[in-house]
Amino acid sequence: MTGRTLSALGLMLVLAAPWPAGAGEVRLSIKAGRVALVARDATLREILVEWERVGGTRIVNREPRASTRFTIELRTCPRSRR
């Protein structure tokens, strides 16, 4: 094979490789015991990581196997129900 053929073959392999999906958008705020969440095209893991960061909490087993993406909007929901 010539150098040109090898270069073309390499380029085809790079272009044919699957591209990783971009990170979804997750915005979360917790104020006065109420939660507002906007997630667009985000995985459950991305949402839980943001909840940990903003809420100062630790979520155990937050590594779900499914990579389903969600779009959800919750506005000023109570943080907990008693």
Side-chain angles (χ1 to χ4, degrees):
M1 289 189 169
T2 66
R4 183 177 251 171
T5 304
L6 286 175
S7 295
L9 181 59
L11 179 61
M12 286 176 24
L13 288 174
V14 168
L15 293 176
W19 295 98
E25 174 191 354
V26 179
R27 290 180 294 167
L28 177 78
S29 66
I30 301 174
K31 295 178 185 167
R34 301 188 73 75
V35 175
L37 169 68
V38 176
R40 290 192 177 89
D41 197 32
T43 63
L44 180 57
R45 181 186 186 285
E46 292 168 332
I47 294 168
L48 294 178
V49 165
E50 185 68 3
W51 197 293
E52 282 182 326
R53 187 184 72 78
V54 172
T57 57
R58 181 171 173 256
I59 298 173
V60 180
N61 295 328
R62 69 167 159 78
E63 302 296 332
R65 296 182 192 265
S67 60
T68 304
R69 296 199 165 267
F70 298 93
T71 297
I72 187 169
E73 188 170 332
L74 303 173
R75 297 197 180 244
T76 61
C77 297
R79 186 174 183 179
S80 64
R81 295 177 189 228
R82 296 179 187 188

